[in-house]
Amino acid sequence: GQNIDQPTEMTATEGAIVQINCTYQTSGFNGLFWYQQHAGEAPTFLSYNVLDGLEEKGRFSSFLSRSKGYSYLLLKELQMKDSASYLCAVRVAGGYNKLIFGAGTRLAVHP
Amino acid sequence: KAGVTQTPRYLIKTRGQQVTLSCSPISGHRSVSWYQQTPGQGLQFLFEYFSETQRNKGNFPGRFSGRQFSNSRSEMNVSTLELGDSALYLCASSLNGQPSSGNTIYFGEGSWLTVV
């Protein structure tokens, strides 16, 4: 079966660093996406990891370990506008653009 | 360049009716996929099209269908609407769906469907 786990909710303080973890068990793997979704809006692309290692993009970094079925999204210098849901999604093998999504992590950033 | 464009953005339909949603992918993108998002089930894959052919299909009843045109634009149709079909329907596009690092998947703003 397909299973993607991420924490349901997290809270953090403005200016701090937060790490959102994602573990997956899927029938094959062809990459992992992180999306940000504000309430009532569409998912916005944050990162895409195909190979193991860390990808850094400004305040956001994403890490992937394929052997462990594990990824994390690291958000630095948190801002109030980072309060949103963060979705982990796996592109399954042979699935082209078929993504399996986790339930999402709701992040609340407090002053 | 323009992003993924979906129309209409909001619509209300009555049970038993049918609805057609439209999606224009990012220029140059040939792969279009559709997802349904509900509070209870999260984001679920409906189907994907590439070069006017359906490449993948999710676990949805046959009332859900789609197609892609030669210009890569896509439509999805839901017939005999049920209350449970109320959801945000999202379209996503990418170059060709291959797993290379440059083949990112981008989502449109979505179509909010309410069935009453």
Side-chain angles (χ1 to χ4, degrees), chain A residues 4 6 35-37 41-44 85-89 99-104, chain B residues 34-46 60 88-92 107:
Chain A
I4 298 177
Q6 46 182 134
Y35 291 91
Q36 179 192 62
Q37 187 175 29
E41 298 182 10
T44 302
S85 284
Y86 291 85
L87 304 168
C88 171
L99 296 178
I100 307 298
F101 279 85
Chain B
W34 290 88
Y35 292 81
Q36 181 197 63
Q37 187 174 30
T38 59
Q41 299 297 320
L43 263 156
Q44 292 187 290
F45 173 80
L46 280 158
F60 280 82
L88 175 64
Y89 289 89
L90 292 160
C91 172
F107 283 85

Side-chain angles (χ1 to χ4, degrees), chain B residues 17-116:
Chain B
Q17 286 187 315
Q18 65 115 21
V19 66
T20 299
L21 308 177
S22 180
C23 171
S24 293
I26 292 172
S27 178
H29 284 193
R30 295 170 60 196
S31 171
V32 174
S33 48
W34 290 88
Y35 292 81
Q36 181 197 63
Q37 187 174 30
T38 59
Q41 299 297 320
L43 263 156
Q44 292 187 290
F45 173 80
L46 280 158
F47 28 64
E48 184 209 0
Y49 289 88
F50 179 79
S51 291
E52 302 177 66
T53 301
Q54 188 179 86
R55 283 203 295 204
N56 259 305
K57 191 175 190 307
N59 296 323
F60 280 82
R63 300 185 296 109
F64 291 81
S65 63
R67 59 178 176 167
Q68 186 180 34
F69 302 96
S70 57
N71 61 357
S72 294
R73 193 177 67 84
S74 177
E75 289 181 347
M76 69 162 282
N77 183 278
V78 188
S79 62
T80 320
L81 283 166
E82 300 176 0
L83 295 179
D85 296 332
S86 295
L88 175 64
Y89 289 89
L90 292 160
C91 172
S93 78
S94 79
L95 282 170
N96 54 33
Q98 297 301 322
S100 62
S101 59
N103 225 328
T104 313
I105 299 174
Y106 297 96
F107 283 85
E109 292 288 311
S111 293
W112 288 94
L113 171 65
T114 302
V115 182
V116 298

Side-chain angles (χ1 to χ4, degrees), chain A residues 21-43:
Chain A
N21 296 323
C22 171
T23 57
Y24 62 89
Q25 289 178 305
T26 57
S27 53
F29 176 87
N30 263 345
L32 187 144
F33 289 84
W34 284 97
Y35 291 91
Q36 179 192 62
Q37 187 175 29
H38 286 99
E41 298 182 10

Side-chain angles (χ1 to χ4, degrees), chain A residues 20-98:
Chain A
I20 303 174
N21 296 323
C22 171
T23 57
Y24 62 89
Q25 289 178 305
T26 57
S27 53
F29 176 87
N30 263 345
L32 187 144
F33 289 84
W34 284 97
Y35 291 91
Q36 179 192 62
Q37 187 175 29
H38 286 99
E41 298 182 10
T44 302
F45 169 77
L46 291 178
S47 69
Y48 176 42
N49 293 68
V50 179
L51 302 175
D52 292 351
L54 185 68
E55 299 249 352
E56 297 186 82
K57 261 189 208 178
R59 295 190 301 115
F60 296 80
S61 303
S62 58
F63 171 83
L64 175 68
S65 168
R66 289 172 296 171
S67 62
K68 295 181 179 176
Y70 168 71
S71 173
Y72 68 73
L73 180 69
L74 193 71
L75 292 75
K76 305 174 190 172
E77 301 168 14
L78 281 171
Q79 302 174 9
M80 299 296 289
K81 67 179 182 179
D82 296 329
S83 293
S85 284
Y86 291 85
L87 304 168
C88 171
V90 170
R91 186 183 232 156
V92 297
Y96 299 102
N97 273 351
K98 178 178 181 178

